[in-house]
PDB file of all heavy atoms in Angstrom:
ATOM      1  N   GLN B  38      -4.072  25.091 -26.126  1.00 98.00           N
ATOM      2  CA  GLN B  38      -3.561  23.746 -25.957  1.00 98.00           C
ATOM      3  C   GLN B  38      -3.811  23.310 -24.515  1.00 98.00           C
ATOM      4  O   GLN B  38      -4.059  24.133 -23.638  1.00 98.00           O
ATOM      5  CB  GLN B  38      -2.077  23.656 -26.288  1.00 98.00           C
ATOM      6  CG  GLN B  38      -1.148  24.237 -25.240  1.00 98.00           C
ATOM      7  CD  GLN B  38       0.299  23.787 -25.456  1.00 98.00           C
ATOM      8  OE1 GLN B  38       0.676  23.308 -26.535  1.00 98.00           O
ATOM      9  NE2 GLN B  38       1.119  23.930 -24.435  1.00 98.00           N
ATOM     10  N   VAL B  39      -3.754  21.986 -24.283  1.00 98.00           N
ATOM     11  CA  VAL B  39      -4.045  21.464 -22.953  1.00 98.00           C
ATOM     12  C   VAL B  39      -3.152  20.262 -22.678  1.00 98.00           C
ATOM     13  O   VAL B  39      -2.769  19.530 -23.592  1.00 98.00           O
ATOM     14  CB  VAL B  39      -5.533  21.066 -22.859  1.00 98.00           C
ATOM     15  CG1 VAL B  39      -5.849  19.886 -23.777  1.00 98.00           C
ATOM     16  CG2 VAL B  39      -5.941  20.760 -21.437  1.00 98.00           C
ATOM     17  N   THR B  40      -2.810  20.091 -21.412  1.00 98.00           N
ATOM     18  CA  THR B  40      -2.030  18.936 -20.977  1.00 98.00           C
ATOM     19  C   THR B  40      -2.775  18.225 -19.867  1.00 98.00           C
ATOM     20  O   THR B  40      -3.192  18.851 -18.886  1.00 98.00           O
ATOM     21  CB  THR B  40      -0.645  19.367 -20.472  1.00 98.00           C
ATOM     22  OG1 THR B  40       0.074  20.003 -21.536  1.00 98.00           O
ATOM     23  CG2 THR B  40       0.152  18.153 -19.998  1.00 98.00           C
ATOM     24  N   LEU B  41      -2.943  16.913 -20.037  1.00 98.00           N
ATOM     25  CA  LEU B  41      -3.618  16.092 -19.058  1.00 98.00           C
ATOM     26  C   LEU B  41      -2.599  15.144 -18.440  1.00 98.00           C
ATOM     27  O   LEU B  41      -1.682  14.675 -19.123  1.00 98.00           O
ATOM     28  CB  LEU B  41      -4.738  15.269 -19.715  1.00 98.00           C
ATOM     29  CG  LEU B  41      -5.689  16.022 -20.640  1.00 98.00           C
ATOM     30  CD1 LEU B  41      -6.753  15.071 -21.173  1.00 98.00           C
ATOM     31  CD2 LEU B  41      -6.320  17.197 -19.935  1.00 98.00           C
ATOM     32  N   SER B  42      -2.801  14.833 -17.168  1.00 98.00           N
ATOM     33  CA  SER B  42      -1.830  14.020 -16.461  1.00 98.00           C
ATOM     34  C   SER B  42      -2.445  12.727 -15.943  1.00 98.00           C
ATOM     35  O   SER B  42      -3.629  12.684 -15.599  1.00 98.00           O
ATOM     36  CB  SER B  42      -1.258  14.821 -15.284  1.00 98.00           C
ATOM     37  OG  SER B  42      -0.298  14.067 -14.586  1.00 98.00           O
ATOM     38  N   CYS B  43      -1.621  11.687 -15.874  1.00 98.00           N
ATOM     39  CA  CYS B  43      -2.079  10.376 -15.415  1.00 98.00           C
ATOM     40  C   CYS B  43      -0.986   9.704 -14.597  1.00 98.00           C
ATOM     41  O   CYS B  43       0.151   9.558 -15.060  1.00 98.00           O
ATOM     42  CB  CYS B  43      -2.440   9.512 -16.618  1.00 98.00           C
ATOM     43  SG  CYS B  43      -2.823   7.794 -16.218  1.00 98.00           S
ATOM     44  N   SER B  44      -1.353   9.256 -13.397  1.00 98.00           N
ATOM     45  CA  SER B  44      -0.432   8.460 -12.576  1.00 98.00           C
ATOM     46  C   SER B  44      -0.969   7.040 -12.515  1.00 98.00           C
ATOM     47  O   SER B  44      -2.071   6.814 -12.002  1.00 98.00           O
ATOM     48  CB  SER B  44      -0.320   9.042 -11.166  1.00 98.00           C
ATOM     49  OG  SER B  44       0.313  10.289 -11.186  1.00 98.00           O
ATOM     50  N   PRO B  45      -0.226   6.065 -13.030  1.00 97.00           N
ATOM     51  CA  PRO B  45      -0.734   4.688 -13.076  1.00 97.00           C
ATOM     52  C   PRO B  45      -0.622   4.006 -11.720  1.00 97.00           C
ATOM     53  O   PRO B  45      -0.028   4.540 -10.785  1.00 97.00           O
ATOM     54  CB  PRO B  45       0.209   4.022 -14.086  1.00 97.00           C
ATOM     55  CG  PRO B  45       1.499   4.761 -13.922  1.00 97.00           C
ATOM     56  CD  PRO B  45       1.109   6.181 -13.621  1.00 97.00           C
ATOM     57  N   ILE B  46      -1.181   2.818 -11.663  1.00 96.00           N
ATOM     58  CA  ILE B  46      -1.030   1.992 -10.480  1.00 96.00           C
ATOM     59  C   ILE B  46       0.448   1.621 -10.343  1.00 96.00           C
ATOM     60  O   ILE B  46       1.116   1.326 -11.349  1.00 96.00           O
ATOM     61  CB  ILE B  46      -1.902   0.728 -10.592  1.00 96.00           C
ATOM     62  CG1 ILE B  46      -3.384   1.125 -10.491  1.00 96.00           C
ATOM     63  CG2 ILE B  46      -1.552  -0.304  -9.534  1.00 96.00           C
ATOM     64  CD1 ILE B  46      -4.349  -0.007 -10.762  1.00 96.00           C
ATOM     65  N   SER B  47       0.923   1.627  -9.125  1.00 94.00           N
ATOM     66  CA  SER B  47       2.324   1.308  -8.881  1.00 94.00           C
ATOM     67  C   SER B  47       2.682  -0.051  -9.455  1.00 94.00           C
ATOM     68  O   SER B  47       1.972  -1.053  -9.236  1.00 94.00           O
ATOM     69  CB  SER B  47       2.582   1.302  -7.366  1.00 94.00           C
ATOM     70  OG  SER B  47       3.929   0.942  -7.092  1.00 94.00           O
ATOM     71  N   GLY B  48       3.752  -0.106 -10.230  1.00 92.00           N
ATOM     72  CA  GLY B  48       4.183  -1.362 -10.839  1.00 92.00           C
ATOM     73  C   GLY B  48       3.671  -1.578 -12.257  1.00 92.00           C
ATOM     74  O   GLY B  48       4.161  -2.461 -12.965  1.00 92.00           O
ATOM     75  N   HIS B  49       2.699  -0.793 -12.666  1.00 93.00           N
ATOM     76  CA  HIS B  49       2.185  -0.907 -14.038  1.00 93.00           C
ATOM     77  C   HIS B  49       3.061  -0.078 -14.961  1.00 93.00           C
ATOM     78  O   HIS B  49       3.215   1.135 -14.760  1.00 93.00           O
ATOM     79  CB  HIS B  49       0.738  -0.409 -14.119  1.00 93.00           C
ATOM     80  CG  HIS B  49      -0.239  -1.348 -13.518  1.00 93.00           C
ATOM     81  ND1 HIS B  49      -1.607  -1.174 -13.663  1.00 93.00           N
ATOM     82  CD2 HIS B  49      -0.079  -2.465 -12.769  1.00 93.00           C
ATOM     83  CE1 HIS B  49      -2.237  -2.158 -13.026  1.00 93.00           C
ATOM     84  NE2 HIS B  49      -1.322  -2.940 -12.472  1.00 93.00           N
ATOM     85  N   ARG B  50       3.588  -0.705 -16.000  1.00 92.00           N
ATOM     86  CA  ARG B  50       4.473   0.009 -16.909  1.00 92.00           C
ATOM     87  C   ARG B  50       3.772   0.462 -18.184  1.00 92.00           C
ATOM     88  O   ARG B  50       4.308   1.260 -18.943  1.00 92.00           O
ATOM     89  CB  ARG B  50       5.677  -0.872 -17.238  1.00 92.00           C
ATOM     90  CG  ARG B  50       6.568  -1.118 -16.024  1.00 92.00           C
ATOM     91  CD  ARG B  50       7.491  -2.291 -16.237  1.00 92.00           C
ATOM     92  NE  ARG B  50       8.413  -2.070 -17.352  1.00 92.00           N
ATOM     93  CZ  ARG B  50       9.188  -3.030 -17.872  1.00 92.00           C
ATOM     94  NH1 ARG B  50       9.133  -4.251 -17.377  1.00 92.00           N
ATOM     95  NH2 ARG B  50      10.013  -2.757 -18.856  1.00 92.00           N
ATOM     96  N   SER B  51       2.588  -0.079 -18.439  1.00 93.00           N
ATOM     97  CA  SER B  51       1.842   0.304 -19.631  1.00 93.00           C
ATOM     98  C   SER B  51       0.788   1.346 -19.252  1.00 93.00           C
ATOM     99  O   SER B  51       0.016   1.149 -18.310  1.00 93.00           O
ATOM    100  CB  SER B  51       1.154  -0.913 -20.242  1.00 93.00           C
ATOM    101  OG  SER B  51       0.234  -0.528 -21.230  1.00 93.00           O
ATOM    102  N   VAL B  52       0.767   2.423 -20.001  1.00 96.00           N
ATOM    103  CA  VAL B  52      -0.245   3.461 -19.814  1.00 96.00           C
ATOM    104  C   VAL B  52      -0.867   3.770 -21.169  1.00 96.00           C
ATOM    105  O   VAL B  52      -0.151   4.021 -22.138  1.00 96.00           O
ATOM    106  CB  VAL B  52       0.352   4.743 -19.206  1.00 96.00           C
ATOM    107  CG1 VAL B  52      -0.718   5.837 -19.143  1.00 96.00           C
ATOM    108  CG2 VAL B  52       0.906   4.464 -17.818  1.00 96.00           C
ATOM    109  N   SER B  53      -2.190   3.740 -21.216  1.00 96.00           N
ATOM    110  CA  SER B  53      -2.910   4.006 -22.458  1.00 96.00           C
ATOM    111  C   SER B  53      -3.873   5.163 -22.250  1.00 96.00           C
ATOM    112  O   SER B  53      -4.323   5.411 -21.128  1.00 96.00           O
ATOM    113  CB  SER B  53      -3.712   2.774 -22.891  1.00 96.00           C
ATOM    114  OG  SER B  53      -2.881   1.657 -23.028  1.00 96.00           O
ATOM    115  N   TRP B  54      -4.192   5.799 -23.347  1.00 97.00           N
ATOM    116  CA  TRP B  54      -5.146   6.913 -23.322  1.00 97.00           C
ATOM    117  C   TRP B  54      -6.281   6.620 -24.296  1.00 97.00           C
ATOM    118  O   TRP B  54      -6.045   6.142 -25.420  1.00 97.00           O
ATOM    119  CB  TRP B  54      -4.460   8.212 -23.714  1.00 97.00           C
ATOM    120  CG  TRP B  54      -3.493   8.726 -22.687  1.00 97.00           C
ATOM    121  CD1 TRP B  54      -2.169   8.423 -22.568  1.00 97.00           C
ATOM    122  CD2 TRP B  54      -3.781   9.666 -21.646  1.00 97.00           C
ATOM    123  NE1 TRP B  54      -1.611   9.097 -21.507  1.00 97.00           N
ATOM    124  CE2 TRP B  54      -2.581   9.870 -20.924  1.00 97.00           C
ATOM    125  CE3 TRP B  54      -4.919  10.351 -21.240  1.00 97.00           C
ATOM    126  CZ2 TRP B  54      -2.503  10.742 -19.833  1.00 97.00           C
ATOM    127  CZ3 TRP B  54      -4.843  11.208 -20.158  1.00 97.00           C
ATOM    128  CH2 TRP B  54      -3.648  11.397 -19.465  1.00 97.00           C
ATOM    129  N   TYR B  55      -7.492   6.941 -23.857  1.00 97.00           N
ATOM    130  CA  TYR B  55      -8.676   6.767 -24.685  1.00 97.00           C
ATOM    131  C   TYR B  55      -9.503   8.046 -24.650  1.00 97.00           C
ATOM    132  O   TYR B  55      -9.560   8.744 -23.642  1.00 97.00           O
ATOM    133  CB  TYR B  55      -9.545   5.615 -24.170  1.00 97.00           C
ATOM    134  CG  TYR B  55      -8.958   4.241 -24.392  1.00 97.00           C
ATOM    135  CD1 TYR B  55      -7.986   3.725 -23.543  1.00 97.00           C
ATOM    136  CD2 TYR B  55      -9.371   3.461 -25.464  1.00 97.00           C
ATOM    137  CE1 TYR B  55      -7.444   2.475 -23.755  1.00 97.00           C
ATOM    138  CE2 TYR B  55      -8.841   2.203 -25.686  1.00 97.00           C
ATOM    139  CZ  TYR B  55      -7.876   1.720 -24.821  1.00 97.00           C
ATOM    140  OH  TYR B  55      -7.338   0.476 -25.037  1.00 97.00           O
ATOM    141  N   GLN B  56     -10.167   8.310 -25.773  1.00 97.00           N
ATOM    142  CA  GLN B  56     -11.116   9.413 -25.849  1.00 97.00           C
ATOM    143  C   GLN B  56     -12.514   8.821 -25.872  1.00 97.00           C
ATOM    144  O   GLN B  56     -12.787   7.900 -26.649  1.00 97.00           O
ATOM    145  CB  GLN B  56     -10.882  10.229 -27.132  1.00 97.00           C
ATOM    146  CG  GLN B  56     -11.810  11.426 -27.279  1.00 97.00           C
ATOM    147  CD  GLN B  56     -11.815  11.985 -28.688  1.00 97.00           C
ATOM    148  OE1 GLN B  56     -12.235  11.317 -29.624  1.00 97.00           O
ATOM    149  NE2 GLN B  56     -11.352  13.219 -28.838  1.00 97.00           N
ATOM    150  N   GLN B  57     -13.384   9.327 -25.022  1.00 96.00           N
ATOM    151  CA  GLN B  57     -14.759   8.838 -24.985  1.00 96.00           C
ATOM    152  C   GLN B  57     -15.728   9.974 -25.301  1.00 96.00           C
ATOM    153  O   GLN B  57     -15.745  11.006 -24.623  1.00 96.00           O
ATOM    154  CB  GLN B  57     -15.098   8.232 -23.619  1.00 96.00           C
ATOM    155  CG  GLN B  57     -16.477   7.595 -23.581  1.00 96.00           C
ATOM    156  CD  GLN B  57     -16.799   6.932 -22.251  1.00 96.00           C
ATOM    157  OE1 GLN B  57     -16.254   7.291 -21.205  1.00 96.00           O
ATOM    158  NE2 GLN B  57     -17.657   5.924 -22.273  1.00 96.00           N
ATOM    159  N   THR B  58     -16.510   9.776 -26.345  1.00 94.00           N
ATOM    160  CA  THR B  58     -17.546  10.739 -26.727  1.00 94.00           C
ATOM    161  C   THR B  58     -18.839   9.993 -26.981  1.00 94.00           C
ATOM    162  O   THR B  58     -18.814   8.801 -27.313  1.00 94.00           O
ATOM    163  CB  THR B  58     -17.164  11.505 -28.004  1.00 94.00           C
ATOM    164  OG1 THR B  58     -16.971  10.562 -29.074  1.00 94.00           O
ATOM    165  CG2 THR B  58     -15.907  12.321 -27.809  1.00 94.00           C
TER     166      THR B  58
END
Side-chain angles (χ1 to χ4, degrees):
Chain B
Q38 75 165 17
V39 66
T40 299
L41 312 182
S42 181
C43 173
S44 293
I46 290 173
S47 178
H49 286 190
R50 293 163 62 191
S51 169
V52 175
S53 303
W54 290 88
Y55 289 81
Q56 181 195 65
Q57 185 177 25
T58 59

